[in-house]
Amino acid sequence: MYNKKLVFAAACLGMLLFGIVLTSLGSILPVITERFHMDQLTAGSLVSILPFGVLAGSLIFGPIVDKYGYKFVLITCIILVLFGLQGLNANEFYLLQLGIFLIGFGGGVINGGTNALVADISDEKGANLSLLGVFFGIGALGLPSLLSIFPGLQSTIINAVGIFMSLPLIFILAVRFPAPKNPQGFPLMESGKLLKSPVLYLLSFVLFFESGMEGMVSNWTTTFISKTLVEKSELALVVLSSHIAGLTVARLILGWVLKKVSPVKVLYASIGIIILSAVIIILSNNINLSIIGFALLGAGFAAGFPITLGFVGENFPKLSGTAFSIALVIALVGNMLINYIMGAVSYYTHISNMPLVLGICAILMLVLISFYSKKYITKS
């Protein structure tokens, strides 16, 4: 029999690693660009390998964990990420490309696997998934902070991160995990029904818009601030940091709130905060008001993934890994597509319209959640 607390701790360590690796490339991209004398076009193509790897990992992890269990998959992918991190220090371009793909692929599996694992072992799925997300925020802030404190030591820090990642690996090796759900083989008939499930696609498209908004803010905030308020890049980074801080703090609080308030009500409130934040950002005419708006926006984003993935876990307990895989792939497609749309909006109109795009996405997300609530919760 497995210990739920130890398994949850192992999942949190895995999510911490995912936060670290997801920011690894962006943190040292300037150094890599200089090392290989890359132009912006080449650098852009290199960066695109990471989300492609995450998408590939998210696509395949579900059926694998349903058949082989979580422990084998997490251990394998942490090792792949360790090799990938070493590739960032490579002097051969093809090894660098391979390393980035392994980081993305392993990270995608770790992200999906840890979320599905926590959903499987939890009675209060939304609360525990929210706490899991806090560890992503800690990991995401860790590597950029180290690199900013110790400039010029990129290779040493990357190697140190590799050593650090071996510690959670040892812990995961020692912990007993839940048994595989389908050790005799993957149930094709049940998976076929899953692919035809309207409720899965409904929840997946909630994540489509949530992921798109989160990606938009991560990728476009500094440009938005520098083009609409101030030209100083350090102030734009302060705004982005306030957003991450709002997200992390809200997820800490969310774990407590979800024990007292129904998840769907919390999700309604979160979407309302997103819309309010978009209005504040539209009306802001100074950097302080923008900091408040983006911090609130982070708080509004906090509930989207934990609660919606909790709904996915509740609806598909027998094939939760595969269901999470489908949902996360659709979410990643939303991230890429909505970011592309934001780029087009910025090019053909102006970057100042970013809060308007955020508001539209939030309203569409609200419509989907309202439909899910009326059709699948009140009648359950």
Side-chain angles (χ1 to χ4, degrees):
M1 185 65 181
Y2 64 90
N3 184 306
K4 284 187 178 183
K5 291 182 179 179
L6 291 178
V7 173
F8 180 70
C12 289
L13 287 173
M15 184 57 75
L16 178 75
L17 299 183
F18 177 62
I20 292 171
V21 301
L22 198 66
T23 57
S24 59
L25 180 58
S27 300
I28 65 167
L29 185 60
V31 177
I32 292 174
T33 302
E34 184 178 345
R35 186 196 312 160
F36 289 95
H37 307 289
M38 291 186 292
D39 56 26
Q40 291 298 105
L41 185 62
T42 306
S45 66
L46 189 68
V47 170
S48 68
I49 296 174
L50 185 68
F52 177 75
V54 173
L55 185 64
S58 300
L59 183 63
I60 72 160
F61 88 86
I64 295 176
V65 298
D66 284 337
K67 178 173 173 55
Y68 295 105
Y70 292 100
K71 186 171 185 174
F72 163 78
V73 174
L74 289 177
I75 290 170
T76 301
C77 287
I78 289 173
I79 292 171
L80 288 178
V81 169
L82 284 170
F83 280 111
L85 283 170
Q86 296 310 306
L88 297 182
N89 290 328
N91 291 317
E92 298 291 338
F93 193 67
Y94 76 92
L95 290 177
L96 173 64
Q97 292 173 310
L98 177 61
I100 293 170
F101 177 79
L102 288 177
I103 289 170
F105 179 83
V109 174
I110 292 168
N111 177 45
T114 52
N115 275 288
L117 174 60
V118 169
D120 279 353
I121 66 171
S122 301
D123 296 323
E124 296 173 333
K125 299 183 189 301
N128 284 345
L129 286 167
S130 178
L131 183 56
L132 180 71
V134 172
F135 284 84
F136 170 80
I138 295 170
L141 288 170
L143 187 58
S145 299
L146 281 174
L147 291 171
S148 63
I149 295 170
F150 303 105
L153 297 177
Q154 287 84 1
S155 296
T156 303
I157 290 172
I158 291 296
N159 289 330
V161 168
I163 295 171
F164 169 77
M165 288 182 69
S166 65
L167 300 178
L169 181 62
I170 295 169
F171 182 80
I172 291 170
L173 279 167
V175 171
R176 183 186 293 273
F177 276 63
K181 295 178 182 177
N182 302 288
Q184 305 304 320
F186 189 66
L188 293 175
M189 187 174 294
E190 289 188 33
S191 66
K193 293 179 182 178
L194 197 66
L195 290 170
K196 297 176 183 178
S197 170
V199 66
L200 178 57
Y201 287 109
L202 180 59
L203 292 171
S204 297
F205 275 95
V206 171
L207 295 178
F208 177 97
F209 290 109
E210 174 70 31
S211 180
M213 288 189 294
E214 290 187 17
M216 190 196 317
V217 172
S218 296
N219 294 328
W220 293 95
T221 293
T222 52
T223 305
F224 172 81
I225 295 298
S226 62
K227 296 291 185 182
T228 58
L229 285 177
V230 294
E231 293 184 359
K232 295 180 179 179
S233 59
E234 60 269 22
L235 290 178
L237 288 172
V238 168
V239 175
L240 184 58
S241 297
S242 74
H243 169 76
I244 297 172
L247 176 68
T248 305
V249 171
R251 282 204 170 143
L252 275 171
I253 298 171
L254 194 61
W256 174 79
V257 171
L258 285 170
K259 294 179 181 179
K260 300 180 179 296
V261 184
S262 71
V264 73
K265 288 182 179 178
V266 174
L267 202 49
Y268 281 141
S270 297
I271 296 172
I273 292 172
I274 293 172
I275 295 171
L276 174 63
S277 303
V279 173
I280 291 173
I281 294 167
I282 289 172
L283 298 177
S284 64
N285 55 8
N286 62 74
I287 193 70
N288 292 327
L289 197 56
S290 290
I291 289 172
I292 293 171
F294 277 93
L296 277 175
L297 193 60
F301 285 169
F305 266 94
I307 291 177
T308 308
L309 287 176
F311 290 152
V312 173
E314 289 172 2
N315 281 279
F316 308 100
K318 293 182 179 179
L319 287 172
S320 58
T322 305
F324 270 54
S325 188
I326 294 169
L328 289 173
V329 166
I330 291 175
L332 285 167
V333 171
N335 190 311
M336 291 185 285
L337 183 59
I338 291 175
N339 269 279
Y340 177 81
I341 290 171
M342 186 60 236
V345 169
S346 177
Y347 180 80
Y348 289 107
T349 59
H350 195 268
I351 188 66
S352 60
N353 288 316
M354 187 182 85
L356 181 61
V357 178
L358 280 170
I360 292 171
C361 289
I363 290 169
L364 292 172
M365 187 176 164
L366 181 63
V367 171
L368 293 173
I369 285 295
S370 298
F371 185 79
Y372 173 78
S373 175
K374 291 176 182 177
K375 188 171 178 62
Y376 296 102
I377 293 183
T378 57
K379 292 184 180 183
S380 61

